[in-house]
Amino acid sequence: MSETWTFVCATGELLPGEMRTVFDEVTGTPILVVNLDGDLYALEDQCSHEEFELSAGALDAADATIECVLHGAKFDVRDGRALCAPAYEPVAKFPVKRDDAGIWSRDDRE
């Protein structure tokens, strides 16, 4: 588990409907940070069905979902739930915070 927060970007660089990928400074885990109408969410940037980057897929901000381009699995951006086959397992959800310096996230799994 990483106790170190990883800088994602300045607050103004991640607008509603946009996403950004970073790598946890300690674990190297790819983290996808999404801005949904000002609310920030962070997930592991890897489909739970097949090892492929979710960030390559389409974000549907209205439905709060992201679709993996490899096989069409969809996930809820807010909690990582798998919403349709071929994915049945959720993707890891990570904490995200915003302060005067910007947006931060970290891999908090044990």
Side-chain angles (χ1 to χ4, degrees):
M1 175 168 90
S2 174
E3 296 293 330
T4 303
W5 289 89
T6 298
F7 181 74
V8 177
C9 64
T11 302
E13 293 177 351
L14 188 62
L15 301 176
E18 293 183 343
M19 54 188 176
R20 174 87 43 112
T21 300
V22 295
F23 292 88
D24 185 277
E25 291 181 13
V26 175
T27 66
T29 300
I31 299 174
L32 176 63
V33 180
V34 178
N35 182 335
L36 292 179
D37 293 325
D39 294 323
L40 301 173
Y41 301 94
L43 302 172
E44 184 171 11
D45 189 18
Q46 182 169 301
C47 180
S48 63
H49 164 253
E50 189 92 18
E51 291 184 11
F52 198 79
E53 301 86 13
L54 288 176
S55 57
L59 173 66
D60 184 335
D63 288 339
T65 60
I66 190 160
E67 182 176 347
C68 179
V69 297
L70 194 58
H71 294 117
K74 283 189 181 182
F75 299 90
D76 188 311
V77 171
R78 298 165 295 195
D79 59 15
R81 283 180 299 134
L83 300 174
C84 68
Y88 297 100
E89 296 296 319
V91 293
K93 180 180 182 225
F94 300 128
V96 61
K97 69 178 183 175
R98 182 182 354 216
D99 63 19
D100 292 339
I103 298 169
W104 306 80
S105 188
R106 66 187 173 94
D107 181 352
D108 65 344
R109 295 177 291 185
E110 292 184 17

